[in-house]
C-alpha cells in the first residue's frame, strides 16, 4: 500500500526544489544590473534620462507588456532598473565590434585589413615628419601610446573602409607642463541643416572631403616637449618618439588642427564666419568642417575642385569622398520633389541587433492565443 504524503510535507519538498531556482534567478538579475551599472559609469555617450523615458508614451506600452508577462512592479521601477540601462547597453554594443583593441584587431577576421591600415598610418606619419626616434633616458617623461582602430561604415551599415590611428595617452599629460589651451570648436548642426536647405532651394552642388591624418598637421609649441612610446608592432628596444607635431590623443591636438585648418582656408581665399568658427565662405564656395570632415557647396563643382587644389597646395592632405550623402554617418537622399531625407538605417539596425530585436535572430514564442482578433462572447458574463 502506497503511503500518503501529507500536503504540508509535499509543499515543503516543493519549496526546497524551487528555492535554488529562485536564488539562481536573483543572481542572474543582480549580475545584469551590475553590468548595466558598469556601462553607465564607464560610457561617455548620452542616453535618454529616466524622466524622458517616463514621459514617452512608449513607456506605458512597455509597462503593459511587462505586466502581461508577469511583472508586478511599478512603471518607474521598470524604466529605471531595466529599460534605461538597456538603452545604454544597446548604444554601446551597437558599434563595439567596429572599434577593436590591438589584440582584437590583430586576431579577428579583418586582421589583414587592420594591419595594412596600421602600416599606412605609420608611413603617413613618418612622411609628415611627425617625430624623431631618440634614446630613452631616465629623466624623460614618456607618455604611453595606443592604437585606435575603426571600421567605418556607410549609412546602410555596409563596410566603407578600415582605419588605424596611432594615438598618445593624453590622460597622462600634465596641464601647464606639456599642454596649455585645448578649446577647439566644431560646426553646429544647425549650420549644416541650414546649408542643406540652401542646397535644395538654390540647387547647389555638394562634395565631401576628409583630411588624412588630420591632427598631425598641427605643430607643437616650442615650450611643449612630448615623448611617447613607440607603436605596438613597430617598437625598437631602448627607443622612444620625440614629437615634432601634434598626435591623436594629445590634449592640444584638436585646437592645433583647427588653427591649422583655419589658416589654410584663409590662405586659400576663404573667410571665417563670425557666427560659426567652422563655417568658411567665399564668393563661389561655402564649406563647413566637423573636425576633419569637410562639406563643400557651390553652383559648380569646378569651383569646389579649385578650392581643393589650393588647400592641397597649402599642405592639407584632403581626400575626396563624393557628395554629402553620408556626412557624419547620416544617409541623405534627394526625393523626386527635390527634398532631402535624412536617415540612419545602419545605426538603427545595429541597435536592434544589440537589443536582440532583429527578426533574423529572433526566436518565436508560441502562446495559447489563436492569433485572431478578439470578438465579443455572446454567452459570456455581463461586465461588472
Amino acid at each position: 500500500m502506497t503511503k500518503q504524503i501529507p500536503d504540508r510535507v509535499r509543499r515543503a519538498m516543493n519549496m526546497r526544489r524551487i528555492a535554488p531556482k529562485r536564488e539562481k534567478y536573483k543572481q542572474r538579475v543582480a549580475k545584469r544590473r551590475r553590468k548595466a551599472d558598469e556601462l553607465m559609469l564607464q560610457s561617455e555617450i548620452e542616453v535618454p534620462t529616466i524622466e524622458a523615458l517616463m514621459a514617452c508614451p512608449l513607456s506605458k506600452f512597455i509597462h503593459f507588456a511587462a505586466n502581461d508577462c508577469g511583472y508586478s512592479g511599478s512603471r518607474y521601477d521598470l524604466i529605471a532598473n531595466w529599460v534605461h540601462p538597456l538603452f545604454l547597453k544597446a548604444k554601446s554594443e551597437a558599434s563595439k565590434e567596429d572599434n577593436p583593441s590591438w589584440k582584437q584587431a590583430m586576431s579577428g577576421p579583418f586582421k589583414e585589413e587592420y594591419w595594412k591600415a596600421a602600416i599606412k598610418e605609420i608611413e603617413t606619419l613618418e612622411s609628415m615628419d611627425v617625430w624623431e626616434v631618440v634614446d630613452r633616458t631616465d629623466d624623460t617623461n614618456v607618455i604611453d601610446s595606443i592604437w585606435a582602430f575603426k571600421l567605418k561604415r556607410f549609412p546602410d551599415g555596409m563596410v566603407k573602409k578600415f582605419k588605424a590611428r596611432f594615438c598618445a595617452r593624453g590622460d597622462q599629460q600634465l596641464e601647464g607642463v606639456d599642454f596649455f589651451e585645448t578649446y577647439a570648436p566644431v560646426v553646429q548642426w544647425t549650420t549644416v541643416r541650414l546649408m542643406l536647405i540652401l542646397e535644395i532651394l538654390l540647387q547647389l552642388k555638394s562634395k565631401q572631403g576628409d583630411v588624412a591624418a588630420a591632427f598631425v598637421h598641427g605643430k607643437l609649441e616650442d615650450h611643449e616637449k612630448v615623448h611617447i612610446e613607440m607603436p605596438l608592432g613597430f617598437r625598437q628596444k631602448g627607443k622612444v618618439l620625440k614629437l615634432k607635431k601634434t598626435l591623436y590623443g594629445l590634449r592640444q591636438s584638436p585646437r592645433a588642427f583647427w588653427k591649422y585648418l583655419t589658416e589654410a582656408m584663409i590662405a586659400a581665399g576663404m573667410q571665417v564666419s563670425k557666427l560659426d568658427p567652422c563655417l568658411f565662405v567665399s564668393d563661389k564656395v561655402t564649406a563647413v568642417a566637423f573636425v576633419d570632415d569637410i562639406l563643400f557647396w557651390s553652383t559648380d563643382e569646378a569651383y569646389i575642385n579649385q578650392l581643393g587644389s589650393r588647400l592641397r597646395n597649402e599642405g592639407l592632405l584632403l581626400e575626396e569622398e563624393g557628395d554629402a550623402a553620408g556626412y557624419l554617418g547620416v544617409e541623405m537622399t534627394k526625393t523626386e520633389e527635390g527634398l532631402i531625407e535624412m536617415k540612419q538605417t545602419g545605426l538603427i539596425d545595429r541597435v536592434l541587433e544589440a537589443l536582440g530585436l532583429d527578426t533574423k535572430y529572433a526566436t518565436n514564442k508560441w502562446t495559447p492565443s489563436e492569433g485572431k482578433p478578439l470578438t465579443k462572447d455572446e454567452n459570456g458574463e455581463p461586465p461588472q
Side-chain angles (χ1 to χ4, degrees):
M1 181 176 181
T2 305
K3 185 177 182 181
Q4 186 73 21
I5 301 177
D7 292 340
R8 181 172 55 82
V9 176
R10 185 183 294 107
R11 286 196 298 269
M13 294 172 62
N14 290 337
M15 288 299 296
R16 282 197 296 268
R17 287 196 296 268
I18 295 173
K21 295 181 179 179
R22 287 181 177 176
E23 186 63 28
K24 290 182 180 179
Y25 173 76
K26 290 180 179 179
Q27 291 176 356
R28 289 199 303 271
V29 171
K31 185 177 180 180
R32 291 174 183 173
R33 288 182 176 176
R34 284 197 301 271
K35 287 184 177 180
D37 291 340
E38 291 174 0
L39 285 168
M40 293 175 68
L41 292 173
Q42 295 174 2
S43 180
E44 297 178 357
I45 60 178
E46 295 183 2
V47 296
T49 62
I50 296 176
E51 290 74 17
L53 292 173
M54 287 290 293
C56 177
L58 187 61
S59 66
K60 295 181 180 179
F61 173 78
I62 295 174
H63 188 222
F64 171 79
N67 288 336
D68 195 47
C69 296
Y71 179 79
S72 59
S74 66
R75 182 160 63 99
Y76 183 87
D77 290 338
L78 176 65
I79 298 298
N81 296 329
W82 293 97
V83 179
H84 186 253
L86 196 60
F87 264 89
L88 179 61
K89 182 177 185 296
K91 284 195 174 183
S92 60
E93 292 290 335
S95 59
K96 185 177 179 180
E97 294 181 357
D98 293 352
N99 300 273
S101 64
W102 167 267
K103 184 176 181 180
Q104 292 169 337
M106 293 299 117
S107 59
F110 301 114
K111 57 185 178 182
E112 292 185 6
E113 289 82 357
Y114 281 123
W115 175 244
K116 290 178 181 178
I119 293 175
K120 180 181 178 181
E121 172 75 354
I122 295 301
E123 290 177 345
T124 301
L125 296 177
E126 289 183 339
S127 66
M128 298 179 69
D129 195 28
V130 175
W131 59 60
E132 60 177 321
V133 181
V134 298
D135 294 327
R136 183 192 298 271
T137 58
D138 295 335
D139 58 344
T140 302
N141 179 33
V142 182
I143 298 174
D144 289 332
S145 62
I146 189 172
W147 279 104
F149 295 101
K150 173 71 174 178
L151 194 165
K152 299 193 72 174
R153 297 178 181 271
F154 289 103
D156 61 359
M158 297 297 291
V159 175
K160 187 176 183 180
K161 65 178 178 179
F162 297 86
K163 295 190 71 172
R165 282 285 178 261
F166 176 55
C167 308
R169 287 284 303 272
D171 59 304
Q172 298 178 358
Q173 289 183 270
L174 299 175
E175 184 175 4
V177 177
D178 48 18
F179 81 95
F180 297 88
E181 293 187 63
T182 59
Y183 170 73
V186 294
V187 66
Q188 303 174 47
W189 190 244
T190 52
T191 302
V192 178
R193 292 175 67 92
L194 176 61
M195 289 305 306
L196 292 174
I197 293 173
L198 292 177
E199 178 181 347
I200 296 173
L201 296 177
L202 303 178
Q203 297 296 308
L204 300 177
K205 307 295 184 181
S206 66
K207 271 196 173 184
Q208 182 181 171
D210 177 74
V211 181
F215 281 3
V216 299
H217 285 79
K219 294 183 179 180
L220 287 172
E221 301 292 340
D222 294 336
H223 54 279
E224 295 174 335
K225 307 296 182 184
V226 182
H227 294 78
I228 69 170
E229 297 284 359
M230 298 190 72
L232 282 172
F234 302 88
R235 289 185 172 174
Q236 302 175 25
K237 187 175 181 180
K239 302 290 184 179
V240 295
L241 303 178
K242 180 181 179 182
L243 297 183
K244 299 179 182 179
K245 297 182 179 180
T246 56
L247 197 65
Y248 284 87
L250 292 181
R251 302 285 188 90
Q252 61 268 50
S253 292
R255 178 177 179 81
F257 172 70
W258 169 67
K259 291 171 64 177
Y260 177 87
L261 178 62
T262 301
E263 293 172 358
M265 285 287 188
I266 293 174
M270 305 290 285
Q271 292 183 351
V272 183
S273 171
K274 296 180 180 179
L275 302 177
D276 191 326
C278 294
L279 172 63
F280 306 95
V281 183
S282 72
D283 57 343
K284 295 180 179 179
V285 182
T286 301
V288 297
F290 189 96
V291 191
D292 58 347
D293 289 310
I294 307 175
L295 270 181
F296 302 91
W297 287 274
S298 180
T299 56
D300 193 331
E301 283 191 14
Y303 297 138
I304 299 177
N305 295 333
Q306 291 172 9
L307 175 60
S309 298
R310 289 196 294 269
L311 290 173
R312 293 186 186 95
N313 293 336
E314 294 297 328
L316 202 67
L317 299 180
L318 189 63
E319 298 178 353
E320 184 179 334
E321 291 195 354
D323 59 14
Y327 189 61
L328 300 180
V330 179
E331 181 182 357
M332 292 181 264
T333 56
K334 289 187 178 180
T335 65
E336 295 180 356
E337 294 79 11
L339 303 178
I340 294 180
E341 289 185 349
M342 303 170 66
K343 297 178 289 186
Q344 286 185 288
T345 54
L347 175 60
I348 292 172
D349 290 340
R350 295 198 297 278
V351 169
L352 290 175
E353 184 176 344
L355 283 169
L357 299 177
D358 55 321
T359 56
K360 184 167 57 175
Y361 298 105
T363 302
N364 294 327
K365 301 296 183 182
W366 296 103
T367 67
S369 171
E370 297 180 357
K372 299 178 181 179
L374 293 177
T375 58
K376 182 179 179 180
D377 186 358
E378 300 292 345
N379 300 320
E381 295 181 1
Q384 301 296 328

